Amino acid sequence: MDSRRESAETLRNKCSACFRQYNKMEHLVEHMKVSYHSVHEPKCGACRKHCRSFESLREHLIGPLPKAECARVFSARGCGICLNIFDSPAAARYHRQACQYSRAAPMPKGGAGGRAVAMACKMVGGGSDGSVDLCARVCLIGEDENIIFQTYVKPTAPVTNYRYEVIGIRPEYLRDAMPLKLVQRRIQDILCNGEPLWKIRPRSYGRARILVGHIVDHDLERLGLDYPAFMIRDTAKYPPLMKTSKLSNTLKYLTQAYLGYDVHTGIQDPYEDCVAAMRLYIRMRSQAHPRDYASGSGEVQNNYPAWRQREMERMSPEELLALSGSDYYCWCLDP
């Protein structure tokens, strides 16, 4: 009898997002305070479990030890790229044809341009051992995947390793390249789009453009540029695309896993990196989440004050989840 009561109590203390179970309701409340579950988390289409990232969801569906019932449903009606589950095998087959992209076929867009710009740089080596990154080539594209700006950049220090085997740059390409100062002005003009840098504010961007890329901070540092963090969408730092909360996936892996084609199969081209980053951004921005601006705003939105502790311990798991908000800004909220 006691064991049955304990089992029922534990079931009542089951998180309605990640399904973890707790012996006491106060433990579930503490879990909700630190978990930041929200409508923006990747979710299993079979059991509706919330996962912290798409990597966690992939493990749940097709990992070494997947959830058996979910794996069975996914094998029949799931898409291995976007990880969605569809109503029928026929619907899944039809979807897969549009979900997987090739390097040559551009993504369908709603219109030319858009407010996002993707940037990628290629670096040559400086310093005595060639390990210091010096920007030697930069490319910017719009949402339509057309090139906005592309140039070789004259390094500001002697080059000791041109890294030709990887990025294909020869000394003669940089001899008459554009000076870094001019490159800086051109890029800043493109990003600010006529809006003074000091006037750009969160959630009211004006004419300024969203900057997309992979490890964007490193590119900006090598270019000697500053841009507001709230205007940057970095595929290496977006929590749903990361391996863990501290480790990032490579652009090569992300492109293969979530777009369905390979990059970096030969000489690396910054345009190819721009396209991959932009497609990943658009795919994440297009996630069908409820338009909940309180959740996923990038601010701590969980409404679990200490003075409500007793009240919360009497709530259902679903009511607790309704109080929870994401601790990162979901790209689906972008205009």
Side-chain angles (χ1 to χ4, degrees), residues 168-198:
I169 292 181
R170 296 182 183 275
E172 55 266 29
Y173 298 168
L174 305 181
R175 199 165 292 137
D176 299 315
M178 187 178 287
L180 180 60
K181 291 287 186 185
L182 182 54
V183 173
Q184 290 171 339
R185 286 199 297 271
R186 291 288 299 276
I187 294 175
Q188 193 151 27
D189 287 346
I190 291 167
L191 295 179
C192 293
N193 196 28
E195 189 84 11
L197 190 61
W198 60 271

Side-chain angles (χ1 to χ4, degrees), residues 69-84:
E69 179 60 21
C70 297
R72 184 189 65 78
V73 173
F74 185 80
S75 65
R77 299 189 274 117
C79 173
I81 297 176
C82 66
L83 303 181
N84 286 321

